[in-house]
Amino acid sequence: MDIAGVDGCRAGWLVVTAAVEGRLVLREEPRIVADFDALLALTGACAAVAVDMPIGLSADGPRRADYEARRLLGRLRASSVFPAPVRGILDATAYRAACEASFAACGKRLSQQTFNILAKVGEADAAMTPALQARVVEGHPEVSFQALNLGRPMIHSKKGAAGRAERRALLERAFDDPLPATAPAGAALDDLYDALVLAWTAARLARGAAARLPAAPERDGRGLHMEIVY
């Protein structure tokens, strides 16, 4: 089976494709595609795809998936889970307007981090369908790294050298071939590691071994599951 892990990055979407053969075997060098439709075309033959981007959006409040992910990660890594935006603000192009629309919809303003990914959330939301969600799912790298680390959260931030070394050591257990030393132009090394660990999550999904937050996911107004798969 072929699977893929995907992380949003500065230049678009960073895609790692791999074959499930015991441990994972990289199919090709990680590559960047410009938009979500290109991502779906590239991974159309994959049995499972895990993407670090909210899929399934509330109309009027927080998602249980985000709450449960923060609770699972605990004090060390909970801040890595940005609350997903409500669907009604996806067209906002200015931070102040997005905050005002979010407050009107759910009583909470938007974080700057969430605003920064709003366009990519909109891309994914426009492309996703309940049928497609059977194999293309939302993942979260820190939740996946914790699962790969037998339930123990990462100690160091992914932005520093110690955090990168910590995550690379875990990934080397999951992949059968040497990991790339650098990320493609337009992405950072932590983007690459996030995509790699989401490929591991996609392999778990393809094997029927993945877990979900929450265990019984809610559906949004378009019928999409609001869940984080790991």
Side-chain angles (χ1 to χ4, degrees):
M1 293 183 293
D2 284 358
I3 51 81
V6 182
D7 189 53
C9 65
R10 185 174 69 255
W13 301 86
L14 176 58
V15 183
V16 168
T17 55
V20 181
E21 299 175 2
R23 295 201 302 169
L24 297 176
V25 177
L26 291 173
R27 277 296 196 200
E28 57 186 359
E29 290 295 314
R31 59 188 289 189
I32 293 174
V33 296
D35 56 48
F36 203 83
D37 286 338
L39 155 64
L40 293 178
L42 178 64
T43 60
C46 291
V49 182
V51 184
D52 181 19
M53 198 58 57
I55 296 173
L57 302 174
S58 171
D60 57 6
R63 305 187 311 170
R64 280 181 54 206
D66 300 326
Y67 168 77
E68 293 200 12
R70 286 191 292 272
R71 185 175 65 174
L72 179 72
L73 291 171
R75 177 181 55 84
L76 281 176
R77 299 270 74 86
S79 62
S80 68
V81 182
F82 304 151
V86 293
R87 179 171 285 118
I89 71 165
L90 293 181
D91 292 334
T93 57
Y95 179 56
R96 182 173 179 179
C99 284
E100 291 173 352
S102 180
F103 189 80
C106 67
K108 292 184 180 294
R109 290 178 170 82
L110 205 63
S111 71
Q112 184 66 55
Q113 294 97 326
T114 301
F115 177 73
N116 291 342
I117 65 169
L118 203 59
K120 282 188 167 61
V121 176
E123 277 187 50
D125 189 60
M128 289 299 301
T129 65
L132 184 57
Q133 206 176 17
R135 67 176 189 86
V136 180
V137 299
E138 175 184 348
H140 191 284
E142 291 302 302
V143 174
S144 292
F145 273 119
Q146 181 165 312
L148 181 55
N149 199 34
L150 304 179
R152 299 184 297 271
M154 298 293 92
I155 296 172
H156 304 287
S157 167
K158 68 179 184 179
K159 297 295 185 182
R164 289 192 291 270
E166 181 183 29
R167 287 160 180 78
R168 187 178 183 92
L170 282 173
L171 290 167
E172 286 173 345
R173 302 180 196 171
F175 284 82
D176 203 33
D177 40 6
L179 300 180
T182 59
L189 194 56
D190 58 277
D191 297 324
L192 173 61
Y193 290 171
D194 285 352
L196 286 164
V197 80
L198 289 177
W200 175 81
T201 291
R204 279 165 54 94
L205 179 64
R207 290 167 170 152
R212 288 171 162 81
L213 297 172
E218 306 163 297
R219 288 186 184 267
D220 71 6
R222 292 183 49 223
L224 295 169
H225 283 128
M226 295 186 284
E227 63 181 1
I228 292 172
V229 178
Y230 66 100

